[in-house]
Structures are given as C-alpha cells and as structure tokens.
Amino acid sequence: MTSTDKTTLEVDRTGEGPALVLVTGAFNTRQSSKDLSALLADHFTVYEYDRRGRGDSGDTPPYEIARELEDLYAVIRSTGENAFVYGHSSGAIIGLDAAASGVPMAKLAVYEPPVLFEHPPALDTVDALQKLIDAGDREGAAKLFMSATGMPPEQIEWVSHAPFWPGMLGIAHTLPYDQLLCVTGSASSDWLKPITVPVLALAGGTSDSWATTAADRIVSVVGDAESLVVPGQNHAVDPAAVAPLLREFFSA
C-alpha cells in the first residue's frame, strides 16, 4: 500500500475480529511485534506495518512528523473500519499525535510514550544523530540515541555486543525521526488537548519515573483517558503482560 506522498508501506495482517493497528518504536520493524500480535489475533484483525525508512517500507525525503501521521492514517484506512490503535514508545507519540490531529480511530492505547515534560530533550541531539548517520557512523548514532534515552553505559555496551545489534544498526538511520518525535512531543502537553477518543496510557512498574509522569499527564489533559501501571515491567514490556490489558480495553 502507499501513503499520501506515495511512499510504499509494507503491512502484515493476521487474525480475525475488529481492526487493531500496532505502531512500533525506535529500532523496531513490523517483525518486532510478532509475539504481541500472536497473542491478540484471536480477538482482533491485527495490522503491523514497517514505519517509513524501516524494513520493507520506503522513505521518501524529506522527513516530517506529519508524514508519519499520514502513514498511520493510510494503514487505518486500509482496514475499512474505525480501527483500534496501540503504540509503543515513539510509536505511542505517533498514535497520540494522530488522534490529536483528527486521524479517525476507535480507541488508542499507548505504552510509555517518551514525552519528557519535566526535562525536555534538546533539539541539537537530532542534528547530532543526523550528522553521524550522514557520516556513515550508524554505531555512533545508535549509541548516542541510547545514551540520550538515559541508558547507562554498561547496558549500551552489552547491547552493542548482542546478537540483535546488526539488526538495530540496519535501521539506525531512522533514529533522528524518533528523537524528533520525542523532542516535539515533550515541548508541552497542550498538543494532547484535541484528543477525543478513549485513551489508555500504560507505564511499567519498574520503569523510570518519567514513564508514569507521562501517563499521568496524558490523563490530566485528555478528556477520556485512564492510566495503568503494568507490574514488573520496564520499557521493553513483555507482550504477555500487555496483551490482556489491550484485549480488555479495546473490547470494553
């Protein structure tokens, strides 16, 4: 399928039931959510797509956040109904921004959108990431991005030697997109005010405090929203922990 600017989007469809679109975060493709979609496919028709620049989707320049919203709208439109949406991390920011912009959806669930209202990230990190990408230093960009998210050096070192590291580097050129989403989303919470669809804001019980702060802020700004802490979970939430919550929220 294609988006508004003719960018090709690769989409997988599984399961039966009401349409549910999954929007992934940084370092992820549509393959990253397969464990979750498998747990949801008995209740929903699940749509997973490669965000632009990732996997098998295109990446028409120049990048703008508005293009990501158009991409999500294109996927929702392809379902033929007013779909449910679940976004994780920067994918959660896309879901929220799309809802605020009037993209039609039935309900929206988000897990830890990195909107750091108390300590907004600097825009110059986006420029620094892009310079590293332009110089061909994907590893440097990936490590800078992880550092900017607050990941400790020892964890970054472990990740850089993990089996999935090459796959992360393969889509590292999209990290400026995710960082820009975080920067613009963190500037203020006013952009959330137009959201009228029901929203479930989730945060992990072992995550840093910014995650619950973000969920609480969403609830305070959005008219029809609730927050929930997922016990024992961090930013890399276990699909088995979040799937029952999504089924309950979207089926209510």
Side-chain angles (χ1 to χ4, degrees):
M1 63 171 297
T2 57
S3 189
T4 303
D5 68 348
K6 306 305 181 183
T7 297
T8 301
L9 301 175
E10 190 67 27
V11 185
D12 288 344
R13 171 183 169 175
T14 56
E16 294 183 3
L20 169 57
V21 179
L22 306 184
V23 192
T24 58
F27 291 119
N28 286 275
T29 68
R30 74 187 194 282
Q31 305 302 327
S32 307
S33 55
K34 293 304 180 185
D35 289 344
L36 177 59
S37 63
L39 296 172
L40 297 171
D42 58 341
H43 287 73
F44 308 97
T45 303
V46 184
Y47 294 79
E48 303 162 280
Y49 71 101
D50 284 330
R51 285 172 50 195
R52 58 177 54 217
R54 306 165 190 230
D56 298 312
S57 289
D59 192 18
T60 306
Y63 177 81
E64 294 181 17
I65 291 175
R67 303 292 82 77
E68 295 253 33
L69 309 188
E70 292 170 354
D71 295 347
L72 176 55
Y73 175 53
V75 177
I76 292 175
R77 190 177 56 215
S78 74
T79 71
E81 57 186 279
N82 212 19
F84 299 125
V85 176
Y86 169 64
H88 177 265
S89 193
S90 57
I93 298 180
I94 292 172
L96 289 164
D97 203 354
S101 300
V103 171
M105 61 184 73
K107 289 184 179 181
L108 170 65
V110 294
Y111 188 90
E112 297 194 356
V115 281
L116 313 177
F117 297 118
E118 305 301 321
H119 303 285
L123 183 61
D124 58 9
T125 305
V126 178
D127 297 331
L129 286 167
Q130 191 61 57
K131 287 179 180 178
L132 288 168
I133 294 300
D134 292 343
D137 187 2
R138 289 176 176 244
E139 183 166 331
K143 290 182 176 181
L144 173 60
F145 181 84
M146 290 187 290
S147 177
T149 66
M151 185 179 291
E154 61 273 15
Q155 189 173 356
I156 294 175
E157 183 65 17
W158 177 86
V159 170
S160 68
H161 290 88
F164 47 79
W165 182 240
M168 294 173 64
L169 296 184
I171 53 175
H173 60 284
T174 62
L175 293 176
Y177 307 170
D178 294 286
Q179 187 66 20
L180 182 61
L181 283 161
C182 184
V183 170
T184 57
S186 301
S188 167
S189 59
D190 289 345
W191 61 276
L192 299 167
K193 291 180 179 179
I195 297 176
T196 58
V197 299
V199 175
L200 174 63
L202 300 165
T206 62
S207 293
D208 292 337
S209 60
W210 68 262
T212 51
T213 298
D216 290 342
R217 182 70 68 89
I218 291 169
V219 171
S220 71
V221 175
V222 178
D224 186 1
E226 59 180 308
S227 63
L228 189 63
V229 173
V230 188
Q233 297 300 308
N234 55 25
H235 197 61
V237 63
D238 185 347
V242 75
L245 304 176
L246 297 178
R247 285 197 296 265
E248 180 179 359
F249 174 64
F250 290 132
S251 299

